[in-house]
Amino acid sequence: MDLHFVDDVVRPTDRAGLTTVRPGDAILAGGTSVMADPGPGIRRLVDITTLGWPDLTIASDGLEIAATCTIDRLVHTGYPETWSATALFDWCARSLLASYKIWHTATVGGNICLALPAGAMTSMCSVLDASLLVWRADGTDATHRVDEVVVGNATTSLGTGDVLRSIHLPASALTSPVAMRRASYAEHGRSGAVVLARSTPDGVVVSVSGATVHPFAVPVSSTDPDVVVDACMAEIPDDAWFADAHGTVPWRRGVVPHLIRGVLADLSGRAS
């Protein structure tokens, strides 16, 4: 996509350089979406990859992922053997149906802030109890769940000048058994529904995305399929179901319970 309407590119090297962000700016963490879609309202690009954030920080309390970390780096880094949930990194990245060239450029933070219903990194953060650190335009910091940042189809709660700094995944989630199922109209088509599940000491957390305008992570104190399906479906309001060329609302409503039962069966198989 030719960005002939862009007048300038800014490459800040510290947080102070972000204070000039204004309406009409597009903040880039990788920029693949900006290069793919028309953006006639964009007048300036602010490339935050020049801020020099370390991609990944592995610590005893979990993993910190810089918003500018590429999907390729997330997938191909080695992690502690006890962090079994890191299998989701590859599973979710593959649900993007993007080429390896995109993996090398697209970033974790960019995928989240794009806020598409089928955003793979959004789904991953939802089930792994992620905390998102946001640098506010007024100089303060704020920490949010992913569903507090991604609030609708291509809609976030971020204001002008707000920047997603990093994503923290706690060790308690990373050491848990996980499972994933997805459905699409075509065998290799874009995800119409994505369901992830993570075992907890008293049950499961199930994340529903792709089929809904934003992710829904539902903790359930049970592993009984009927109980879990009923609890998850009850948490999704009628106006939260998403419809587009990749799935109608009735189809998505019908397929999500099937996917939930699938991930529960997968978790049960791993536990046996």
Side-chain angles (χ1 to χ4, degrees):
M1 185 68 64
D2 292 332
L3 304 181
H4 57 84
F5 39 77
V6 172
D7 300 322
D8 193 14
V9 178
V10 178
R11 297 183 175 87
T13 57
D14 55 28
R15 187 169 182 174
L18 298 172
T19 59
T20 62
V21 174
R22 58 188 185 237
D25 288 354
I27 296 176
L28 304 184
T32 55
S33 66
V34 173
M35 302 303 173
D37 298 317
I42 300 173
R43 292 294 175 266
R44 189 171 68 155
L45 304 179
V46 181
D47 185 355
I48 63 173
T49 61
T50 55
L51 288 168
W53 299 334
D55 287 337
L56 299 161
T57 304
I58 298 172
S60 60
D61 66 339
L63 176 66
E64 180 175 331
I65 307 168
T68 50
C69 176
T70 66
I71 291 171
D72 180 78
R73 182 69 188 277
L74 179 73
V75 169
H76 291 112
T77 294
Y79 300 100
E81 291 184 4
T82 55
W83 287 7
S84 56
T86 57
L88 282 178
F89 299 167
D90 182 74
W91 297 349
C92 288
R94 291 185 186 282
S95 76
L96 283 170
L97 302 178
S99 72
Y100 73 92
K101 295 178 182 178
I102 298 296
W103 279 26
H104 278 276
T105 304
T107 58
V108 177
N111 185 255
I112 293 169
C113 293
L114 193 58
L116 296 179
M121 299 296 103
T122 304
S123 304
M124 177 196 76
C125 288
S126 178
V127 80
L128 292 181
D129 195 24
S131 297
L132 276 57
L133 175 61
V134 176
W135 281 0
R136 294 295 185 194
D138 62 7
T140 62
D141 295 346
T143 302
H144 298 284
R145 300 189 313 270
V146 70
D147 62 345
E148 294 174 327
V149 173
V150 179
V151 296
N153 175 28
T155 305
T156 73
S157 61
L158 300 175
T160 300
D162 292 347
V163 173
L164 176 59
R165 166 63 182 86
S166 61
I167 303 99
H168 183 264
L169 305 178
S172 57
L174 289 168
T175 54
S176 302
V178 291
M180 174 181 175
R181 294 279 183 112
R182 60 179 290 272
S184 64
Y185 278 169
E187 181 180 358
H188 299 295
R190 183 174 176 180
S191 298
V194 177
V195 173
L196 310 178
R198 171 172 60 88
S199 294
T200 64
D202 64 345
V204 292
V205 173
V206 174
S207 168
V208 178
S209 60
T212 52
V213 294
H214 65 79
F216 286 85
V218 184
V220 186
S221 298
S222 174
T223 56
D224 180 273
D226 291 335
V227 173
V228 176
V229 167
D230 288 347
C232 292
M233 298 301 285
E235 284 293 315
I236 304 174
D238 290 342
D239 61 358
W241 292 97
F242 183 59
D244 66 358
H246 305 285
T248 64
V249 167
W251 177 77
R252 283 170 159 142
R253 282 183 189 270
V255 78
V256 164
H258 173 72
L259 297 177
I260 293 172
R261 293 180 185 276
V263 292
L264 294 175
D266 292 343
L267 287 178
S268 176
R270 290 189 178 92
S272 61

